[in-house]
């Protein structure tokens, strides 16, 4: 059983470990190995601390905590970073920036619980919908988000990882 709460400074190390291990597990065979191998928990934690302490921060971070008090998942969300008006929506749009669960615990409902709470908080903040981006080759993540009510909307963007260009697909849903 897990519960979800706001992330704080004490969670940064655990969240960074989840994120780095999550990247290595989820993107093996998709993102270049050199990029994944260069990721460190220490670098990620330093970046996470900077983001948490930024005075103009508009994003929110939640952690899933297990019965032992350990962080086992993390979600970050906030206002949509793509052009919301270009999406043709009449409501404001939030965005799930990142969602990771400890790789050894995937498939146990932790990601769904984090996503559900992120949706509830976005709705409480006045967002009427949510968007997110998924690598085109990451079918497992796409299926997870589709089960959560998201649909690909046809928008794409490219990201470069160690000189390899990978395409992301935008997914959206109403909250």
């Amino acid at each position: 059983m897990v519960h979800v709460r706001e992330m704080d400074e004490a969670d940064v190390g655990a969240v960074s470990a989840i994120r780095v291990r999550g990247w290595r597990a989820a993107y093996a065979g998709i993102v270049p190995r050199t990029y994944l191998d260069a990721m460190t928990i220490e670098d990620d934690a330093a970046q996470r601390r900077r983001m948490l302490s930024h005075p103009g921060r508009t994003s929110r971070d939640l952690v899933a905590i297990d019965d032992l008090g350990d962080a086992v998942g993390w979600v970050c969300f906030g206002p949509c970073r793509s052009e919301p008006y270009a999406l043709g929506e009449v409501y404001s749009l939030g965005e799930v920036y990142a969602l990771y669960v400890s790789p050894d615990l995937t498939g146990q409902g932790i990601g769904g619980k984090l996503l559900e709470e992120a949706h509830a908080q976005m709705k409480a903040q006045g967002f009427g919908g949510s968007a997110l981006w998924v690598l085109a080759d990451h079918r497992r993540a796409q299926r997870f988000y589709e089960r959560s009510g998201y649909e690909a909307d046809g928008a794409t963007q490219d990201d470069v990882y160690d000189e390899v260009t990978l395409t992301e697909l935008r997914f959206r849903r109403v909250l």
Side-chain angles (χ1 to χ4, degrees), residues 54-122:
H54 190 275
R57 181 169 91 99
T58 58
S59 64
R60 305 277 309 271
D61 294 89
L62 304 175
V63 291
I65 304 296
D66 68 11
D67 290 336
L68 301 174
D70 296 324
V72 294
W74 163 73
V75 65
C76 181
F77 60 94
C80 186
R81 297 174 291 184
S82 56
E83 301 172 36
Y85 300 109
L87 300 174
E89 305 296 349
V90 294
Y91 50 78
S92 61
L93 197 63
E95 181 177 347
V96 176
Y97 305 141
L99 172 63
Y100 292 94
V101 173
S102 293
D104 54 321
L105 299 174
T106 57
Q108 297 185 24
I110 298 166
K113 192 163 187 165
L114 282 164
L115 193 57
E116 184 179 295
E117 182 60 27
H119 289 159
Q121 290 195 23
M122 280 192 275

Side-chain angles (χ1 to χ4, degrees), residues 27-65:
Y27 303 132
I30 300 173
V31 172
R33 182 93 233 147
T34 52
Y35 185 90
L36 297 174
D37 288 346
M39 294 178 76
T40 69
I41 294 169
E42 296 78 18
D43 288 347
D44 191 84
Q47 178 185 359
R48 214 114 328 279
R49 283 187 184 92
R50 281 191 301 276
M51 292 169 80
L52 272 177
S53 65
H54 190 275
R57 181 169 91 99
T58 58
S59 64
R60 305 277 309 271
D61 294 89
L62 304 175
V63 291
I65 304 296

Side-chain angles (χ1 to χ4, degrees), residues 144-157:
F144 168 77
Y145 290 118
E146 287 166 348
R147 285 191 306 271
S148 299
Y150 284 84
E151 294 180 3
D153 69 2
T156 64
Q157 68 182 12

Side-chain angles (χ1 to χ4, degrees), residues 2-13:
V2 299
H3 70 278
V4 176
R5 65 164 171 77
E6 194 78 24
M7 179 178 146
D8 61 33
E9 176 70 29
D11 300 315
V12 168

Side-chain angles (χ1 to χ4, degrees), residues 116-170:
E116 184 179 295
E117 182 60 27
H119 289 159
Q121 290 195 23
M122 280 192 275
K123 191 169 185 165
Q125 291 173 20
F127 294 112
S130 175
L132 52 83
W133 293 90
V134 180
L135 285 172
D137 291 336
H138 196 340
R139 286 296 304 146
R140 182 177 182 178
Q142 291 173 34
R143 287 189 301 271
F144 168 77
Y145 290 118
E146 287 166 348
R147 285 191 306 271
S148 299
Y150 284 84
E151 294 180 3
D153 69 2
T156 64
Q157 68 182 12
D158 290 334
D159 286 325
V160 179
Y161 300 91
D162 283 353
E163 301 181 20
V164 175
T165 301
L166 298 173
T167 300
E168 289 183 305
L169 310 174
R170 186 175 58 205

